[in-house]
Amino acid sequence: MTEIVRNTSRKKDFLVEYFRTQMRTDPDMASAVAAIRTLLEFLRRDKGETILGLRESLKWATDCLTEVDSSVAVSSGGELFLRFISLTSLEHQDLSRCKKVMEERGELFLEKISLSRTKVAKLCHTFIKDGAKILTHSSSRVVLRVLEKAAAEKKRFTVYVTESQPDTAGKQMADALRRLNVPVTVVLDAAVGYVLEKVDLVIVGAEGVVESGGIINKIGTYQMAVCSKAHNKPFYVVAESFKFVRLYPLNQQDVPDRFKYKADTLRTVSDLSDEHPMIDYTPPSLITLLFTDLGVLTPSAVSDELIKLYL
Amino acid sequence: MADCGAADGPVKKDDIVRAKNEGKELTKEEKQRLRKEKKHQKKQKDEKRPSERAKEKKPVAPSQPVATQPPTQKAPTVLPASAPIPVPASGAPSHSSPAPSPADKPAKSRAEQKAERRARQDADRASKQQSCFSSSKTKAPPSELNPVVKRLPEHVQVDDPAVVKRLAKKLERQQIPLRSDYGYKVSLFSHLHQYSRKAPLTQQLSIPSTVIHPSIVRLGLQYSQGIVVGSNARSVALLHAFKQVIRDYTTPPNEELARDLVNKLKPYISFLNQCRPLSASMGNAIKYIKKEISNIPSQFKEEEAKTKLQKCIDCYINENVVLAAKAISKYAIKKISDGDVILVYGCSSLVNHILCEAYDKSRKFRVIVVDSRPRLEGREALRRLVQRGISCTYVLISALSYILPEVSKVFLGAHALLANGYVMSRVGTSQIALVARTFNVPVLVCCETYKFCERVQTDSFVSNELDDPDDLMVTRKGKTQLENWHDVSSLGLLNLVYDVTPPDFVDLVITDLGMIPCTSVPVVLRVKNLEQ
C-alpha cells in the first residue's frame, strides 16, 4: 500500500516539476500548452496495462496540474487532449501499439495548437484599421500576437491598456508593446469608462470560453464589456480553441470556486469569501465576435463548435 | 377501378349511402366510387367545361405522370399511394389552361372521347414542358417543379373557406364527424378553431364505432375534456392508445401490414385533431411510429411485427420521457445551490420532477409557484411539491414583479422548442421570462429533445390554440359575470393556451443532451437527424 502511495507522490512531483520547467523555458507559451506537453510526456512514461487505466491516470494527471495552476485553460486543455487522442479507433490488439497511436495523436494535437495563435492573429489583424485606437485588458499573449501582426502589416494604431490590479499585469503588456514601437498608455482600471469614448474597438483575450458563448477572463473584463456595450463599441475576444470548456455559468456566482482563485489560495485559505476573485464571467450578449483558430465566431456559434469538439 | 360507367352509377350510390348510414366502414372501392361521384357532380355544375364529365370514366393511363401532379381537388394524404388512383389531375391542367375546350357533346362515343382526351393530355403535357418556367398559373406548376412545397396546416386556416371545405371532405371520406366552432372569435384569432367544452364530445358528435377504435375515442374524450393535459402526458397517453390499437389489429387479406396499419392510423389522427389540436410532442411521436411501421420488413409474420412495434413504442417512451427526465434532473441539480429561491410557473411534469429530485438530494431551497386563471394549474404543482415537503409560496401572475426581487432562478417547462430558438409554452410564460430578464434573474427552460420541432414562429398569433371562451366566466357570491356575453355583439372572449418566448429572454435550456443556449436548437435537430 505504501508503495503505491510513494509511487503516486513521486509521479506527482515529476509532473509538477516538468510542468514548471516548461513554463520557465518558454514564457511565451500558454499554460495550457505546457500542461499538454506535460501530459504527453506522462503518457510516454506511463506503464499502465490497460487503455482504461491509461485514461484514468491521464485524468488524474490533469487534476494534479489543475492544483498547480488553477486556470480554466489548463483543465479545458487537458480534457480536450484526452478526447482528441482517444477519438481514433483503438482496436489494436497490442497495448504498446495503441499507446503509440495515442502518442502520435497527442503530438499532432500539440502541433495544431502551437499554430493556433498564428491563425488567430491572421484572422484578427484585418479588423484593426489604420489609425485605430484599441483598448485591451491586462496581459494576454494572444492579443499581443495580434497586435504584433497588425504592426507588421504597417498599420498605425495606439493602445490603451488597463493596469489590471491586483497583479498589475497590464504594465508587462505595455512594456512588450513599447518594444514593438506601438504608442501605448496605461490607464487605471477605474478609468475604463472615461477612456472608452476615445477608443474605436476593444480586444481582450480569454482564459476560458464557456458553452453559452461567454468568456472567463481576468477580473475587470465584465466591467469593460458592459461599458463598451453602453458606448456601442465592438467588443472582440481572441482565444485559441483549446480554451473551450464545458461550463455554463448563469451569473458571476455560478462560476466554480476552483477557477476563481489561484491554486495556492485554494489550498491555504479556509474562508474564501474574504479573498478577492481573480476572474469574472462576461455573458455572450456583450460580446460582438470571437476570433479563434476555428474561425471567426458569433457567441451563439460557440455552442455549435463545442458540440463538434466534445461529442 | 376503371369500370364504373354512368349506368351503374346510381345503383352503387345507393349502396354507398346505405353503408354510410349503417356506420359500416366503406371498402376502398366504395370510397373511390364516392369520390368519383362527387367529382362528377361538381363538374356537372361547372357549365363552362361540359367535357369534364367524360373524364370521369377514363381508365388509368399508365404513362401519365400521376404522382407528380397533386390532386388539387382532394386533400393530399388520404388514399394509399399503392392503389391505382385514377387521378383526374388532368382535370387540373385543363382547368388552369385558358384554352377553351372544344365543344364536346356527351353524345360522342366512348372511344372518341377517350382518344380526344388522350390527345389533349399529350398536348397539355407538351405545352407544360415547354412553358414550365413561364407559366402564369400558380396552382399546378410550383407543385410540379418543387414537390416539397410546404402547405400551411389546416388548423391555422379556419377562416379560409376553401381550406375548410377541403378538410370537411377529407373528414367525410375518413368518416370522422366534423366538430363545429363555438362562439364569437376575436378577429385577430379568427384563423384558429375554437371549441366548446360544455357538452362531452360524444354528445356533440356521432362517432362511428367501427371506424374509430374505442381506446382512441376514449383518448379523444380525455383530451377534449381536459382530463389528460400536459405535453408529456398527452404523448404518452397517445402512445399507449396506439399500443392497444396495434394489439387489436389484424391485417386484412391481400394487404401488407406496413402500409395498411399506417392508413388505419390516419383517421384516428384526424379524429384526435378534432378533439384537440395535436401538440408538437405528439406530432413527433406519430412521425416516429409511422416510420417504424413502414420499416417493418414484409417477411415478418403478423405476431412478430406487432410485438416489435409494441416494443418500439415502449422503448420510445422509456428513452424520451423517463430516461430523459433523469438526465435532465442530473444537469439541473448542478444549477440548484443551497439557499436558492426558485420560481416555477404552472404545472410542468418535468420541472416538478427536477425539484423533487433536488430535494431528495438534500439541496436546501424554497419554491415560489406562480399561477394564472382560468386553468389554475399551479395548484396541482403546489400540491405535489408540498406533499414532498418542499416549502412553497403561491402567488398569482399579477404579483410577479412584487416577488421577483426575492427570486434567484426561474425554472420553466416547455411545450415545444422551435427551430429558431423560440420557446412555446403555456400562456404567461413569456411574461415571466420578460419580467425576470428585467430583474436580471436567470431563466432556465427544461425540455426533452423529442419536443424539438422544425417549425419557425416569431409570434403567438400565427399558430396557437383557442380554448373554450366560457372558461373565462367566473361566479362569485352567486353572480356570474359575463354570463350573457353572447348577447353583447361587440364583446369577444379570448382564452389562449400557448405563447412563444424569444430566445433573448432565456438564459439556458436544459435538455437530455446537456445544457445548451437557446440558439443552439437547430444544432440539436441536425445532430438528431444525422442519428436517424
Side-chain angles (χ1 to χ4, degrees), chain A residues 211-213 222 246-251 254 283-285 299-305 307-308 311, chain B residues 334-335 337 408-409 440 442-444 507-509 513-520 523-524 526-527:
Chain A
E211 274 191 84
S212 59
Y222 178 51
R246 292 220 81 176
L247 267 180
Y248 204 124
L250 297 171
N251 46 27
D254 219 12
S285 47
S300 24
V302 168
S303 174
D304 200 349
E305 292 299 323
I307 290 179
K308 277 196 229 155
L311 281 183
Chain B
K334 286 193 215 159
K335 289 290 171 208
S337 25
S408 61
K409 291 190 178 78
N440 271 327
V443 174
L444 288 77
D507 287 296
L508 172 61
V509 176
L513 291 179
M515 300 193 268
I516 58 171
C518 226
T519 42
S520 288
V523 179
V524 171
R526 195 177 62 211
V527 165

Side-chain angles (χ1 to χ4, degrees), chain A residues 95-137:
Chain A
L95 180 71
S96 56
R97 246 190 328 157
C98 283
K99 258 189 75 173
K100 247 181 91 58
V101 168
M102 286 171 96
E103 282 167 30
E104 280 165 23
R105 299 267 308 171
E107 280 169 31
L108 182 64
F109 187 67
L110 208 55
E111 217 181 281
K112 269 179 43 171
I113 59 177
S114 27
L115 298 170
S116 51
R117 253 190 223 161
T118 332
K119 280 193 214 160
V120 173
K122 210 160 57 160
L123 283 172
C124 188
H125 80 269
T126 47
F127 279 70
I128 301 176
K129 298 199 180 62
D130 207 22
K133 295 201 186 62
I134 304 171
L135 174 64
T136 183
H137 184 63

Side-chain angles (χ1 to χ4, degrees), chain B residues 105-242:
Chain B
K105 293 125 210 146
K108 271 198 190 161
S109 79
R110 259 261 202 88
E112 278 181 354
Q113 287 168 354
K114 267 198 214 166
E116 231 175 73
R117 221 183 310 123
R118 231 177 252 138
R120 217 176 304 134
Q121 281 161 12
D122 287 333
D124 280 340
R125 216 179 307 138
S127 68
K128 258 259 166 71
Q129 279 168 3
Q130 284 170 10
S131 64
C132 225
F133 292 90
S134 57
S135 168
S136 53
K137 297 297 171 193
T138 48
K139 255 203 209 168
S143 338
E144 200 185 49
L145 295 178
N146 185 8
V148 202
V149 159
K150 286 224 167 111
R151 255 188 277 251
L152 276 176
E154 283 132 354
H155 66 269
V156 297
Q157 284 184 292
V158 173
D159 53 353
D160 183 353
V163 174
V164 174
K165 223 172 27 159
R166 217 186 322 143
L167 177 66
K169 275 201 200 148
K170 172 176 142 189
L171 290 178
E172 195 181 336
R173 211 175 3 251
Q174 295 175 335
Q175 297 173 276
I176 310 278
L178 178 67
R179 197 174 176 190
S180 45
D181 285 356
Y182 165 77
Y184 171 72
K185 277 194 271 194
V186 174
S187 61
L188 208 52
F189 291 91
S190 57
H191 61 285
L192 300 169
H193 283 294
Q194 182 172 277
Y195 299 131
S196 162
R197 212 183 295 139
K198 200 159 37 181
L201 205 61
T202 39
Q203 289 178 4
Q204 286 177 20
L205 312 168
S206 67
I207 302 166
S209 57
T210 46
V211 177
I212 306 182
H213 192 281
S215 60
I216 301 279
V217 177
R218 182 178 68 170
L219 190 65
L221 264 175
Q222 286 172 331
Y223 285 165
S224 66
Q225 292 301 109
I227 299 172
V228 174
V229 270
S231 189
N232 274 342
R234 281 165 67 186
S235 6
V236 170
L238 175 75
L239 289 170
H240 282 304
F242 276 174

Side-chain angles (χ1 to χ4, degrees), chain B residues 232 320-321 324-325 328 350 446-452 511-512:
Chain B
N232 274 342
N320 285 305
V321 181
I328 293 177
L350 188 55
C446 309
C447 183
E448 299 96 333
T449 46
Y450 86 104
K451 289 186 191 159
F452 285 22
T511 67
D512 35 304

Side-chain angles (χ1 to χ4, degrees), chain A:
Chain A
M1 190 59 193
T2 45
E3 269 294 320
I4 301 174
V5 173
R6 228 179 300 146
N7 265 339
T8 41
S9 68
R10 228 181 299 156
K11 271 196 247 179
K12 198 165 171 178
D13 292 334
F14 156 72
L15 269 174
V16 172
E17 207 28 65
Y18 195 90
F19 179 65
R20 289 227 170 92
T21 339
Q22 289 288 319
M23 294 288 280
R24 254 188 312 230
T25 46
D26 191 358
D28 198 30
M29 185 167 36
S31 52
V33 178
I36 291 170
R37 282 232 173 93
T38 320
L39 288 173
L40 195 56
E41 190 57 39
F42 180 79
L43 177 67
R44 283 199 194 105
R45 294 190 192 195
D46 185 69
K47 292 190 186 38
E49 297 293 308
T50 60
I51 304 265
L52 191 60
L54 216 66
R55 235 181 270 198
E56 289 300 317
S57 39
L58 275 172
K59 274 205 201 105
W60 172 84
T62 317
D63 290 335
C64 288
L65 289 174
T66 340
E67 281 180 28
V68 175
D69 183 345
S70 69
S71 63
V72 184
V74 167
S75 85
S76 72
E79 198 181 330
L80 278 168
F81 174 74
L82 189 56
R83 265 177 211 274
F84 190 82
I85 61 176
S86 12
L87 205 57
T88 108
S89 90
L90 294 166
E91 303 277 306
H92 309 276
Q93 296 290 56
D94 196 5
L95 180 71
S96 56
R97 246 190 328 157
C98 283
K99 258 189 75 173
K100 247 181 91 58
V101 168
M102 286 171 96
E103 282 167 30
E104 280 165 23
R105 299 267 308 171
E107 280 169 31
L108 182 64
F109 187 67
L110 208 55
E111 217 181 281
K112 269 179 43 171
I113 59 177
S114 27
L115 298 170
S116 51
R117 253 190 223 161
T118 332
K119 280 193 214 160
V120 173
K122 210 160 57 160
L123 283 172
C124 188
H125 80 269
T126 47
F127 279 70
I128 301 176
K129 298 199 180 62
D130 207 22
K133 295 201 186 62
I134 304 171
L135 174 64
T136 183
H137 184 63
S138 184
S139 166
S140 162
R141 285 169 288 220
V142 192
V143 176
L144 193 57
R145 185 74 76 85
V146 169
L147 296 176
E148 273 174 16
K149 185 97 182 55
E153 299 282 319
K154 306 270 189 291
K155 294 205 189 147
R156 287 165 298 186
F157 53 90
T158 50
V159 181
Y160 295 89
V161 188
T162 53
E163 190 185 40
S164 165
Q165 294 283 0
D167 55 2
T168 61
K171 296 227 168 91
Q172 291 169 354
M173 183 80 164
D175 291 333
L177 283 170
R178 267 188 213 110
R179 272 180 293 219
L180 294 170
N181 286 330
V182 174
V184 59
T185 318
V186 176
V187 297
L188 292 174
D189 296 338
V192 165
Y194 173 79
V195 112
L196 254 167
E197 55 184 36
K198 289 191 259 195
V199 302
D200 300 315
L201 67 151
V202 183
I203 305 183
V204 300
E207 290 193 26
V209 179
V210 294
E211 274 191 84
S212 59
I215 58 164
I216 294 187
N217 199 22
K218 184 78 186 296
I219 189 123
T221 316
Y222 178 51
Q223 223 155 274
M224 198 182 276
V226 173
C227 288
S228 51
K229 183 85 182 198
H231 283 264
N232 280 323
K233 307 282 182 187
F235 186 85
Y236 298 133
V237 173
V238 286
E240 303 98 314
S241 62
F242 58 78
K243 291 183 176 159
F244 282 23
V245 66
R246 292 220 81 176
L247 267 180
Y248 204 124
L250 297 171
N251 46 27
Q252 306 297 336
Q253 310 306 323
D254 219 12
V255 180
D257 279 342
R258 64 179 195 275
F259 296 134
K260 274 196 200 160
Y261 307 98
K262 279 204 156 68
D264 309 324
T265 330
L266 286 168
R267 264 198 301 255
T268 50
V269 174
S270 49
D271 187 8
L272 285 170
S273 55
D274 284 338
E275 290 300 311
H276 202 281
M278 296 298 292
I279 55 155
D280 62 18
Y281 164 67
T282 307
S285 47
L286 302 172
I287 300 174
T288 325
L289 286 177
L290 286 114
F291 297 90
T292 70
D293 47 321
L294 301 168
V296 183
L297 307 171
T298 54
S300 24
V302 168
S303 174
D304 200 349
E305 292 299 323
L306 266 169
I307 290 179
K308 277 196 229 155
L309 279 176
Y310 276 96
L311 281 183

